[in-house]
């Protein structure tokens, strides 16, 4: 290994999965080697988690939704036929089991701010952070579906701006519970003194806001990370502002390294405006890989994947709806969209297409064609160097099949990356935040940190 390679900063690698049959690459579940059809079997995930840990992946990252995509009043048989995120099981529950069978792997779940009350959610996450000894991450999402919103009693998907204001209050409640309710040293376990915890160091948070009223105290004692590692994926201007204030890791699906560079620079600039350090946020690009020992083999495997690809599935997944909730026809120019759903995706897809008028169907095609890297392990390593040069800190590896896509990446690509100093050889000790950032807790500049000690009674004035 050359000294130049030895000095490189390794990229981080997450396995991007969902507790369902068809997550991103639709149609692939029909392949004979596709294990994702058995997603209800705990062993599917236990075995995968062990494979990922043996390969030194940083984390297993579960996406999630709470409803169907597209027009909530229309026929939804395409989603059911395709197994497209229906059927699906809850990822957060699954993390409890995965905590027990792994030791180092980070475990990330996705939870929408309208799907559970923040008091309950904060308690679940603290419990998982205890069970896993500090390896939990939360992907904060605000919803993209009318149907998902109706499942929680809302008439439809809440307005884009209000969704982020809601998320602001939601995380505020959670930060108060995680960071402020229990002071350091509050747990005494003092058998002789008959005090399990110290009442002077356990506080009610008394949150009163437009959407939530939460008295506290938080019921779990402080977990190793207190606040889980915070992921976020919105790419609209409001999404980037929210990420700049709150996220520690941002999930990108940039069309190319140049676009990634723009999104990263913009979000880091906003983070600095919010009083944070640019390096407080790490950026993960979503990529899938077709790996061949030769270029010819890679092309042959690509053709095989194409045979199984379901274009109906990609289009149904990326369906965008108009202000009345109706799906836009695929040939609608992106400049004519007035959508309340995935604004960022539309905006950035439009920027990536410069030789013709970008249309709605391009977003579906992007899911299919873009963000896949085809070649030999060396060629793949070269491409990853380009993403790293654009400022990307890590990759969310998108699978075609479970567990094959990850096994192949571990066997063929990671050794080449390790040779180049681009993938870690061993885990750093400690919590997920310690592994990623060298600290167990949120930094002082994060908004969650303001609640440390904030609820202790003021000292009596003498
Ligand atoms: C790569 C990526 C992954 C996402 N994963 C999820 C998810 O698992 N669940 C979900 O409800 N939304 C998910 N989203 C949607 C975003 O969280 C966000 O709601 C959406 O991009 C709209 O926000 P925006 O208009 O700010 O871009 C994802 C978005 C992207 C780009």
């Amino acid at each position: 290994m050359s000294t130049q390679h030895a000095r490189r900063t390794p990229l981080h690698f997450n396995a991007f999965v969902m507790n369902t049959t068809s997550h991103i690459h639709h149609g692939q579940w029909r392949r004979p080697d596709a294990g994702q059809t058995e997603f209800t079997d705990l062993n599917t995930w236990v075995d995968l988690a062990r494979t990922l840990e043996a390969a030194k992946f940083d984390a297993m990252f579960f996406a999630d939704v709470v409803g169907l995509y597209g027009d909530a009043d229309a026929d939804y048989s395409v989603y059911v036929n395709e197994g497209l995120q229906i059927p699906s099981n809850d990822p957060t529950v699954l993390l409890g089991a995965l905590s027990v069978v792994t030791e180092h792997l980070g475990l990330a779940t996705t939870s929408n701010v309208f799907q559970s009350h923040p008091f309950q959610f904060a308690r679940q996450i603290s419990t998982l952070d205890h069970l896993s000894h500090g390896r939990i991450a939360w992907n904060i999402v605000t919803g993209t579906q009318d149907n998902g919103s109706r499942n929680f009693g809302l008439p439809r998907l809440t307005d884009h701006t209000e969704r982020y204001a809601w998320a602001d209050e939601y995380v505020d409640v959670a930060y108060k519970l995680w960071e402020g309710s229990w002071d350091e040293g509050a747990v005494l376990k003092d058998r002789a003194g008959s005090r399990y915890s110290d009442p002077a160091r356990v506080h009610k948070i008394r949150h009163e806001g437009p959407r939530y009223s939460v008295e506290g105290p938080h019921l779990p004692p402080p977990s190793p990370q207190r606040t889980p590692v915070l992921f976020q994926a919105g790419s609209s201007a409001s999404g980037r502002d929210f990420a700049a204030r709150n996220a520690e890791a941002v999930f990108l699906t940039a069309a190319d390294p140049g676009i990634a560079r723009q999104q990263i620079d913009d979000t880091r600039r906003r983070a600095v405006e919010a009083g944070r350090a640019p390096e407080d946020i790490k950026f993960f690009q979503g990529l899938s890989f077709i790996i061949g020992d030769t270029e010819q083999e890679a092309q042959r495997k690509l053709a095989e994947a194409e045979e199984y690809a379901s274009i109906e599935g990609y289009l149904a997944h990326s369906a965008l709806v108009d202000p009345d909730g109706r799906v836009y026809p695929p040939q609608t120019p992106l400049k004519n969209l007035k959508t309340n759903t995935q604004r960022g995706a539309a905006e950035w897809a439009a920027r990536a297409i410069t030789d013709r008028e970008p249309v709605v169907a391009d977003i579906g095609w992007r899911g299919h064609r873009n963000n896949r890297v085809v070649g030999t392990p060396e060629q793949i390593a070269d491409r990853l160097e380009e993403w790293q040069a654009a400022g990307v800190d890590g990759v969310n590896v998108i699978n075609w099949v479970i567990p094959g896509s990850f096994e192949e990446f571990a066997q063929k690509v990671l050794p080449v990356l390790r040779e180049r100093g681009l993938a870690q050889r061993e885990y750093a000790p400690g919590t997920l935040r310690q592994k990623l950032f060298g600290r167990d807790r949120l930094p002082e500049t994060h908004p969650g940190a303001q609640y440390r000690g904030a609820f202790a009674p003021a000292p009596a004035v003498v």
Side-chain angles (χ1 to χ4, degrees):
M1 197 190 357
S2 76
T3 46
Q4 186 208 346
H5 286 169
R7 279 200 302 274
R8 286 218 177 110
T9 308
L11 285 161
H12 299 289
F13 291 93
N14 295 332
F16 190 45
V17 291
M18 186 166 170
N19 201 351
T20 189
T21 297
S22 195
H23 175 202
I24 302 279
H25 282 310
H26 304 300
Q28 302 295 324
W29 66 270
R30 296 173 293 173
R31 280 166 58 165
D33 59 339
Q36 57 263 43
T37 48
E38 308 315 306
F39 74 92
T40 57
D41 184 345
L42 177 60
N43 287 326
T44 300
W45 301 109
V46 167
D47 292 348
L48 179 60
R50 289 188 168 134
T51 299
L52 296 170
E53 188 158 271
K56 312 284 187 277
F57 270 76
D58 291 84
M60 191 172 186
F61 183 123
F62 282 90
D64 193 37
V65 289
V66 289
L68 304 165
Y69 291 92
D71 183 335
D73 295 314
D75 174 61
Y76 53 86
S77 50
V78 61
Y79 298 102
V80 177
N81 282 328
E82 297 276 339
L84 201 165
Q85 307 192 2
I86 175 174
S88 69
N89 277 348
D90 185 323
T92 306
V93 175
L94 186 57
L95 294 198
L98 300 183
S99 296
V100 182
V101 297
T102 52
E103 196 182 337
H104 296 288
L105 188 68
L107 298 167
T109 190
T110 295
S111 188
N112 194 310
V113 299
F114 62 65
Q115 80 182 75
S116 63
H117 191 282
F119 183 80
Q120 167 68 0
F121 178 70
R123 188 178 187 216
Q124 285 177 325
I125 289 291
S126 294
T127 305
L128 286 171
D129 205 49
H130 279 294
L131 292 180
S132 64
H133 302 287
R135 290 182 285 129
I136 300 299
W138 171 33
N139 180 30
I140 310 167
V141 298
T142 56
T144 56
Q145 307 163 321
D146 283 338
N147 174 250
S149 306
R150 288 186 190 175
N151 288 336
F152 291 88
L154 299 163
R156 55 176 310 178
L157 182 64
T158 310
D159 166 73
H160 194 264
T161 310
E162 165 58 16
R163 288 209 297 279
Y164 280 110
W166 188 336
D168 276 330
E169 185 177 351
Y170 194 95
V171 295
D172 201 40
V173 175
Y175 296 154
K176 287 176 180 173
L177 292 165
W178 286 326
E179 298 290 330
S181 188
W182 288 65
D183 294 341
E184 292 300 318
V187 178
L188 305 171
K189 300 185 188 174
D190 174 6
R191 286 186 161 85
S194 195
R195 291 196 313 162
Y196 189 83
S197 307
D198 178 358
R201 286 186 272 183
V202 180
H203 311 294
K204 292 187 171 182
I205 63 163
R206 300 185 206 283
H207 174 88
E208 291 293 339
R211 299 160 199 81
Y212 298 106
S213 162
V214 178
E215 185 168 82
H218 193 37
L219 295 179
S223 68
Q225 299 184 115
R226 284 187 178 251
T227 299
V229 173
L230 300 167
F231 265 80
Q232 204 267 347
S235 56
S236 64
S238 326
R240 278 173 279 142
D241 264 337
F242 182 84
R245 289 194 303 278
N246 297 286
E248 297 177 277
V250 168
F251 184 9
L252 307 170
T253 45
D256 57 52
I259 300 268
R261 160 69 68 199
Q262 289 177 45
Q263 293 188 347
I264 293 168
D265 287 352
D266 179 86
T267 307
R268 290 214 156 112
R269 181 183 55 74
R270 289 170 198 253
V272 170
E273 277 170 21
R276 300 177 68 202
E279 64 277 6
D280 283 354
I281 308 180
K282 290 194 188 288
F283 292 84
F284 286 75
Q285 167 70 16
L287 295 172
S288 54
F289 300 92
I290 302 235
I291 310 158
D293 290 332
T294 60
E295 270 187 71
Q296 291 75 356
E297 193 197 0
Q299 288 305 324
R300 184 184 58 68
K301 286 165 91 173
L302 175 62
E304 202 176 280
E306 291 278 14
E307 263 175 46
Y308 284 102
S310 164
I311 298 312
E312 297 74 31
Y314 286 102
L315 291 176
H317 186 177
S318 61
L320 290 175
V321 298
D322 68 18
D324 296 323
R326 305 287 88 87
V327 171
Y328 277 109
Q331 290 314 313
T332 312
L334 291 180
K335 64 174 191 242
N336 295 348
L337 292 191
K338 290 196 173 52
T339 190
N340 186 32
T341 53
Q342 302 243 25
R343 287 223 187 130
E347 187 188 317
W348 290 96
R351 283 204 210 184
I353 296 168
T354 50
D355 56 344
R356 61 191 163 77
E357 183 70 53
V359 296
V360 163
D362 286 315
I363 298 179
W365 284 111
R366 249 171 54 99
H368 174 44
R369 293 222 184 99
N370 283 17
N371 303 334
R372 68 185 185 198
V373 187
V374 183
T376 64
E378 281 73 19
Q379 289 171 327
I380 289 172
D382 292 345
R383 294 288 86 74
L384 290 179
E385 286 189 16
E386 290 165 16
W387 285 99
Q388 189 180 45
V392 162
D393 302 287
V395 176
N396 264 6
V397 179
I398 298 170
N399 69 84
W400 304 87
V401 288
I402 286 176
S405 298
F406 298 114
E407 287 173 348
E408 211 180 13
F409 191 79
Q411 283 159 15
K412 303 210 162 179
V413 181
L414 285 176
V416 175
L417 294 174
R418 286 200 182 102
E419 272 307 301
R420 298 191 189 191
L422 285 175
Q424 68 180 354
R425 291 172 182 270
E426 288 303 330
Y427 284 109
T431 62
L432 179 58
R433 185 174 284 110
Q434 184 69 240
K435 288 176 167 69
L436 292 174
F437 294 99
R439 56 182 173 244
D440 287 330
R441 301 281 164 84
L442 288 174
E444 284 303 319
T445 48
H446 190 279
Q450 68 184 299
Y451 295 121
R452 292 174 186 153
F455 303 108
V461 181
V462 192

